[in-house]
Amino acid sequence: MIKCCLLVATGWIVAVLTMPAALGQAAPAASPATGVDYVHLADLIVNRSWKLAPGERVVMFWDAQRDPGIATPLREAIRKAGGQVEEIAAPVSPADAALAPAARAPRFEQWKAIFQRSQAAIWLPSDITAVSDQPFEHLVEASAVRSIHFHWFLPPEAADAPRVEAMYQRAIEVNPTELGKRLATLEEALRGHTVHVKAQNGTDFVFRVPRDAHFHRNTGEATKQKVRDARSVRDREEELPASVLRTTDLTDAQGTFTGYLSWDTRSTLARATLKDGRVTALEALHGPDAEVTAWKSAKGDKDKPGEFVIGTNSALTAVLPSGYMPYYGYGAGVVRLAIGDNWESGGRNRSSNGELLLFLPGATLSVDGRDLIRNGELLNR
């Protein structure tokens, strides 16, 4: 039997669903529209990523209108593993824009109570424009959950969506052990060395990674063992598909880094100039300059390099012919420089505009003269 209650506060409703018993009808093995096997993906999430133990509670942070088909099989997989589910309706822009500031704080506290009594959490597809204040990330920070981001980003071209969805399934199927070995090898090559990034678009960027740098390995594993030594919110967040190696420890950054302000080559192309570890200039080379303008008027550590990110999952195409970079540019060989705020990944930068991201496919990344990525191809993967 499904037990349901509504927690009501001023102007908003939080739906909480617990499932100590069976749900009734089972989910279909695969979506007839896309061929994606969501039952299989749900099993991987519950039994491989979390390794959920009987009695553990899971928070589903999601939007029913944007669910691609994962919610029902995920509930069933959690039930079969002996877990329980509580659900939070993720914010949507129209309703959230009308929400009075006085209502936001109690809503967050209500959500926080749910997270704090849970052991795992997952963020399913939702209205990204409604979460600029990063509620999910702050809820992870305020609790001890092992969390997963399952955003299922799709391209603007409907014709490309089936290809991308099939790609995401293959990328999620890549074993965390395989990704872990790849990320560990890459981390060891970077640690304590000078990194040089060059590209045909004029990028010529150099920085050093300290020997004691902290790295986050996004393997797709969110087990108790994996998060045991977590040092940041990011260390208790796993993206699916998994792919990237991250570090906030960039020193002596110099040169120019030219990249796209979103994971699409049709977005604004911007160039950052750095000297002595600071951004001395940021300019839009083509496309709208709203983000650059916002950066220029921001306060705080906006001019400090925040994080360097490298994609390693070869099941994800780096760039589609349309220009779209699947799953936030997580394809193998795509590199990304974040400028400014890096609190989520455990860094010390704080800036009023958050982080500004520069996505760069097709680059060559070398360490002490040895190429690790050549013209966008991750070597020895």
Side-chain angles (χ1 to χ4, degrees):
M1 181 179 67
I2 298 174
K3 297 180 180 179
C4 182
C5 63
L6 293 178
L7 304 177
V8 183
T10 307
W12 50 269
I13 295 176
V14 177
V16 182
L17 179 70
T18 61
M19 298 187 327
L23 265 176
Q25 292 187 351
S31 166
T34 66
V36 173
D37 189 343
Y38 289 112
V39 171
H40 172 52
L41 294 183
D43 177 69
L44 292 179
I45 291 168
V46 171
N47 298 305
R48 190 181 72 178
S49 291
W50 282 323
K51 294 186 178 177
L52 200 71
E56 287 197 302
R57 303 177 74 93
V58 179
V59 184
M60 280 176 52
F61 189 88
W62 74 303
D63 180 346
Q65 300 302 313
R66 290 174 169 80
D67 174 36
I70 187 68
T72 296
L74 183 60
R75 291 191 199 99
E76 180 67 10
I78 293 168
R79 184 197 64 80
K80 286 182 178 178
Q84 295 184 341
V85 175
E86 292 195 74
E87 300 185 19
I88 294 175
V92 292
S93 291
D96 217 54
L99 191 65
R104 291 181 183 272
R107 180 181 71 171
F108 183 84
E109 290 303 311
Q110 197 75 262
W111 290 351
K112 185 169 74 172
I114 296 171
F115 269 70
Q116 289 182 337
R117 63 175 175 253
S118 301
Q119 289 72 48
I122 187 165
W123 183 1
L124 298 180
S126 70
D127 183 356
I128 297 299
T129 65
V131 291
S132 59
D133 56 344
Q134 298 183 287
F136 185 88
E137 293 90 333
H138 285 293
L139 290 163
V140 173
E141 180 184 36
S143 65
V145 297
R146 319 187 303 275
S147 70
I148 290 171
H149 290 215
F150 186 96
H151 296 298
W152 212 251
F153 297 122
L154 295 178
E157 293 80 16
D160 283 341
R163 174 187 177 187
V164 170
E165 292 190 284
M167 190 186 301
Y168 286 171
Q169 175 166 325
R170 291 194 301 272
I172 291 172
E173 289 170 339
V174 176
N175 195 289
T177 301
E178 178 184 339
L179 281 173
K181 290 178 180 178
R182 189 179 303 162
L183 295 171
T185 299
L186 192 56
E187 176 184 322
E188 185 56 33
L190 298 173
R191 187 180 294 280
H193 292 280
T194 297
V195 180
H196 192 181
V197 182
K198 297 188 71 174
Q200 293 182 357
N201 66 7
T203 293
D204 192 350
F205 178 60
V206 178
F207 64 96
R208 185 165 181 80
V209 178
R211 187 67 197 168
D212 61 350
H214 178 63
F215 285 86
H216 170 75
R217 300 178 189 174
N218 169 217
T219 64
E221 180 186 339
T223 62
K224 285 180 276 191
Q225 181 179 3
K226 172 88 182 309
V227 306
R228 183 179 54 198
D229 299 321
R231 291 170 46 180
S232 68
V233 174
R234 183 78 67 189
D235 289 340
R236 289 187 292 112
E237 296 178 319
E238 285 293 323
E239 297 283 351
L240 288 180
S243 171
V244 298
L245 183 69
R246 300 171 175 266
T247 185
T248 60
D249 293 317
L250 292 72
T251 63
D252 304 322
Q254 312 280 345
T256 58
F257 192 101
T258 300
Y260 300 96
L261 297 184
S262 185
W263 59 101
D264 196 306
T265 61
R266 294 164 292 187
S267 65
T268 299
L269 182 68
R271 178 172 60 212
T273 302
L274 299 95
K275 183 179 181 181
D276 299 330
R278 298 270 186 167
V279 177
T280 58
L282 181 69
E283 56 185 320
L285 301 182
H286 71 69
D289 62 356
E291 287 185 77
V292 173
T293 300
W295 179 86
K296 289 179 179 178
S297 62
K299 306 296 182 184
D301 299 321
K302 67 175 186 180
D303 59 346
K304 292 183 179 179
E307 189 172 39
F308 195 75
V309 183
I310 302 174
T312 71
N313 196 325
S314 55
L316 295 171
T317 300
V319 187
L320 298 185
S322 66
Y324 185 77
M325 303 180 210
Y327 206 83
Y328 223 80
Y330 269 40
V334 179
V335 300
R336 185 199 325 166
L337 176 67
I339 297 169
D341 207 302
N342 58 8
W343 77 270
E344 187 180 355
S345 293
R348 297 180 179 179
N349 295 0
R350 301 294 182 269
S351 54
S352 62
N353 66 316
E355 62 178 3
L356 184 139
L357 304 178
L358 294 166
F359 295 82
L360 178 56
T364 293
L365 183 151
S366 60
V367 172
D368 298 335
R370 178 169 69 95
D371 290 350
L372 304 181
I373 300 172
R374 185 179 300 136
N375 297 324
E377 180 183 357
L378 182 66
L379 305 180
N380 301 318
R381 61 190 184 192

